[in-house]
Amino acid sequence: MNIKRTKEEIKNTIEAYLAKDGFGSYEIPAIRQRPIFLLGSPGIGKTQIMEQVSKECGVALVAYTITHHTRQSAIGLPFISTKQYGGKEYAVTEYTMSEIVGAVYEKMEQTGLREGILFIDEINCVSETLAPAMLQFLQYKSFGNHKIPAGWIIVAAGNPPEYNKSVREFDMVTMDRVKKIEVEADFGVWKEYAYQQGLHGAVISYLNARKQHFYQMETTVDGRNFATPRGWEDLSNFIRVYEKLGKEVDREVVAQYIQFPKIAKDFANYLELYYKYQADYQLEEIFQGHLDEILIQKVAHASFDERLSVLGLILSKVNEALKQAVSEEWQMERLQSCLMEFKALAAPLPGEMPMGNNEGVPGEGGIEVRGASGEVRIESGEGVQGDKGAGSGDAQEVFGGICQKMSAAYEQKKKAELLGREEDAQYRRLLQTMERFAQTLKLEGIAQRGQAFRRVKELFAVENGIYERRQEEASHALEYAFDFLEGAFGSGQEMVMFITELNSNYHSVKFLQGCDCPRYFQYNQELLFDEKRRKLLERLS
């Protein structure tokens, strides 16, 4: 099962395990909720999908690598207590709470989330002394005398024996009590994730051309050579930082992440050419709308690897513009929601000037935030909804209260670890914008509600202008890319690859849903037609 299907299956299992009947009891009793056991080779993303699943399901996550634990930390330390049996007092051995069970309760206290995932990695690599405790954990959902709290789902992960000499195979009794999922590496699925996370264009384009290097392991007399999805992602992040610092990523640097000498050397050579083509083909000029016929002819007659590298550069530039546009849209949706809240709470007090006409006011004519992707939706549920009547205090206090609610919602999500890196950055930027609005009201001494709302509307209009420029820049980037690709390749395989990659990218798909780009839809329709024809011919043959 590929990592995408695995993620869906885990989310579906969580939904089923947390489903309750009309009396508030779990539909599947805790004792019948089989732990999920992920079995797959190292580096394919088993741990990472648990972080994604917890955020998307809105539940807490406690993660442990069990090989770092001893029997005492897992099941607790023994101590002597006394109990009465048949009128006589006896000394009885009990155990303190397991560190792992304690961490679950601690997470519940910190986040306020009563349900969650307890993820135990490398569970089949435990020491001999800890093995019985792990079997008890999988079978009875407890460490020593302490059970895992109700509402907490157990997910365990392990590597097959061929990848780890420490692996201990579970017996049939244990395996018959778990929900086993065998996870496999899949480049197509990983590529969707890579685009969404904004991985370096050189890494994506290289693996597009050499898919066999995405995940490869080889045992030699000198040891094991390997290249893993985790290695490629970490290398991508490192390349981006090195570029900002003006440092060179050479073969030795690549080999620190891709521990397969042949692949590391090949990628290092590719990366060097990638940077060379970036300068040779004057990418900045292309995305200013200046096409050089000599360069177009040059790439049209270049080798396959060179054409693929140039296509990767074009895609990287387009994806960056589309990602910024989508991020700006997220920002405007929430700003608009906050402005609607301010209007609802900041009705003028007796004796104050009215807010004025309703032109551009949410709720009555509406503030229209328009760009290439169409009108922005208004989303609620961000922790900023207040009473529908007028609030007390002057306008600065009312707007400050909205800022505080937004900040509290952000802190709560951050504390619960429900925000990814990208969403965290978006929230911080949103809070900075809201704080700037509040600071403007304070510096200009605006306390009257009607006047304050008009001023905030003006500030919002400035942000809306930035949003619309981002939308235009993204649309232009897309059009310039089509101009260059049509001039160099026409409707050949490079154009097909370009459309296919756009369809694999979360940000481009989201942007294109509301964007009027006739050439994209034209080529996409042709691609779909060709795919249907190919499948039909396959059936006929």
Side-chain angles (χ1 to χ4, degrees):
M1 188 181 293
N2 65 45
I3 203 77
K4 183 176 182 179
R5 174 64 196 281
T6 298
K7 179 179 172 181
E8 291 174 358
E9 189 60 33
I10 295 171
K11 290 174 69 174
N12 290 340
T13 302
I14 290 172
E15 185 177 353
Y17 283 178
L18 297 183
K20 296 180 180 179
D21 60 22
F23 299 99
S25 301
Y26 291 108
E27 291 279 6
I28 303 175
I31 194 65
R32 294 299 177 194
Q33 294 180 5
R34 289 192 172 200
I36 300 169
F37 179 41
L38 306 178
L39 185 65
S41 46
I44 61 175
K46 300 188 295 294
T47 303
Q48 205 163 43
I49 63 169
M50 298 317 305
E51 297 173 0
Q52 298 173 24
V53 166
S54 67
K55 291 179 176 67
E56 292 172 20
C57 293
V59 297
L61 173 67
V62 172
Y64 271 95
T65 301
I66 201 63
T67 50
H68 299 165
H69 283 268
T70 64
R71 184 176 184 274
Q72 287 74 25
S73 64
I75 69 171
L77 292 170
F79 67 92
I80 305 298
S81 67
T82 58
K83 289 188 181 291
Q84 294 282 342
Y85 296 115
K88 293 184 179 181
E89 189 176 90
Y90 295 89
V92 179
T93 301
E94 294 191 28
Y95 286 87
T96 59
M97 181 176 284
S98 158
E99 177 187 329
I100 296 173
V101 177
V104 171
Y105 282 105
E106 186 70 24
K107 179 68 73 169
M108 293 166 68
E109 291 294 323
Q110 288 177 352
T111 65
L113 298 172
R114 312 308 296 175
E115 298 173 326
I117 301 167
L118 174 57
F119 177 62
I120 305 294
D121 200 9
E122 299 184 13
I123 194 167
N124 56 353
C125 295
V126 296
S127 64
E128 187 174 348
T129 57
L130 192 53
M134 286 301 98
L135 298 182
Q136 178 198 27
F137 168 66
L138 289 174
Q139 292 178 18
Y140 303 109
K141 302 178 182 62
S142 64
F143 281 112
N145 298 331
H146 303 281
K147 285 188 172 293
I148 305 302
W152 278 75
I153 294 152
I154 297 170
V155 182
N159 300 324
E162 60 266 30
Y163 297 109
N164 195 320
K165 296 177 183 178
S166 304
V167 166
R168 306 172 62 87
E169 290 192 33
F170 293 143
D171 57 31
M172 190 189 77
V173 174
T174 303
M175 292 303 295
D176 194 36
R177 284 177 166 85
V178 300
K179 183 180 169 73
K180 179 184 173 185
I181 300 176
E182 294 189 10
V183 191
E184 300 173 348
D186 186 310
F187 174 67
V189 169
W190 181 84
K191 186 169 67 174
E192 292 180 26
Y193 165 80
Y195 276 130
Q196 187 167 357
Q197 296 299 313
L199 265 61
H200 198 282
V203 171
I204 297 176
S205 60
Y206 173 80
L207 293 175
N208 259 331
R210 296 169 177 79
K211 295 179 177 63
Q212 71 276 14
H213 292 171
F214 167 62
Y215 191 90
Q216 197 167 124
M217 290 207 176
E218 175 185 86
T219 303
T220 69
V221 293
D222 297 321
R224 178 163 281 170
N225 299 324
F226 53 90
T228 68
R230 179 167 54 206
W232 288 114
E233 181 174 3
D234 291 345
L235 175 60
S236 169
N237 294 332
F238 197 77
I239 291 173
R240 287 204 179 278
V241 176
Y242 254 38
E243 286 178 346
K244 290 180 180 179
L245 297 174
K247 296 182 181 294
E248 180 185 357
V249 178
D250 57 19
R251 179 182 172 184
E252 282 70 27
V253 174
V254 174
Q256 295 164 17
Y257 293 88
I258 308 303
Q259 298 180 46
F260 200 118
K262 180 182 175 182
I263 297 176
K265 179 182 177 181
D266 191 45
F267 177 74
N269 292 336
Y270 179 88
L271 185 62
E272 186 177 346
L273 289 173
Y274 186 87
Y275 289 137
K276 179 179 180 296
Y277 298 145
Q278 194 169 24
D280 288 353
Y281 285 97
Q282 303 170 15
L283 226 61
E284 293 302 324
E285 290 294 313
I286 291 172
F287 284 94
Q288 292 296 324
H290 306 141
L291 298 183
D292 189 320
E293 287 297 327
I294 297 175
L295 290 179
I296 287 177
Q297 290 303 314
K298 178 184 176 183
V299 72
H301 296 90
S303 66
F304 176 74
D305 276 1
E306 184 170 340
R307 297 200 306 273
L308 203 61
S309 294
V310 173
L311 180 61
L313 287 164
I314 295 292
L315 273 166
S316 182
K317 195 74 175 176
V318 170
N319 290 337
E320 183 182 341
L322 300 187
K323 184 178 180 181
Q324 287 182 356
V326 170
S327 178
E328 197 70 39
E329 183 170 339
W330 184 97
Q331 169 98 345
M332 292 308 298
E333 287 175 353
R334 280 146 187 82
L335 270 182
Q336 187 176 20
S337 180
C338 291
L339 190 54
M340 289 181 65
E341 177 73 3
F342 185 46
K343 177 179 181 290
L345 292 178
L349 295 172
E352 285 191 350
M353 292 179 61
M355 291 184 181
N357 61 43
N358 291 322
E359 183 181 355
V361 177
E364 296 156 12
I367 293 183
E368 292 184 342
V369 183
R370 294 182 179 272
S373 63
E375 186 175 347
V376 169
R377 299 181 305 278
I378 299 173
E379 296 187 355
S380 60
E382 293 299 324
V384 297
Q385 297 300 318
D387 298 328
K388 295 304 177 185
S392 61
D394 63 22
Q396 292 180 25
E397 292 175 351
V398 173
F399 195 80
I402 295 174
C403 292
Q404 288 174 2
K405 289 179 186 177
M406 177 66 74
S407 181
Y410 163 71
E411 290 298 335
Q412 184 179 8
K413 288 186 176 184
K414 186 176 181 179
K415 196 173 183 180
E417 298 178 351
L418 297 179
L419 296 175
R421 182 178 177 181
E422 183 70 24
E423 194 174 6
D424 181 75
Q426 288 176 324
Y427 262 106
R428 284 189 280 113
R429 182 167 166 259
L430 175 63
L431 289 170
Q432 286 177 351
T433 303
M434 291 287 290
E435 183 60 34
R436 194 172 69 250
F437 285 12
Q439 193 67 14
T440 299
L441 294 179
K442 185 176 180 180
L443 290 174
E444 295 179 4
I446 301 175
Q448 284 198 344
R449 298 183 174 197
Q451 185 182 359
F453 181 74
R454 288 193 296 274
R455 185 66 180 111
V456 171
K457 269 178 55 183
E458 292 171 358
L459 297 171
F460 178 87
V462 173
E463 295 297 320
N464 187 40
I466 296 172
Y467 161 74
E468 290 179 344
R469 283 197 297 276
R470 289 282 185 270
Q471 299 292 315
E472 289 174 7
E473 289 168 3
S475 295
H476 289 155
L478 201 56
E479 295 297 337
Y480 294 147
F482 275 116
D483 289 342
F484 179 81
L485 294 174
E486 284 180 343
F489 310 119
S491 57
Q493 64 175 342
E494 291 81 6
M495 183 64 79
V496 172
M497 292 173 66
F498 181 69
I499 297 297
T500 302
E501 294 306 299
L502 288 179
N503 291 340
S504 302
N505 187 336
Y506 166 82
H507 297 105
S508 59
V509 169
K510 185 170 178 59
F511 180 84
L512 288 163
Q513 284 175 345
C515 173
D516 183 20
C517 183
R519 284 188 288 185
Y520 164 76
F521 292 106
Q522 172 197 334
Y523 288 118
N524 196 45
Q525 284 295 109
E526 291 175 6
L527 178 63
L528 290 173
F529 176 77
D530 289 342
E531 181 67 14
K532 288 178 181 178
R533 183 172 60 181
R534 183 186 63 78
K535 289 182 178 179
L536 181 60
L537 290 173
E538 284 179 356
R539 290 176 185 172
L540 291 173
S541 62

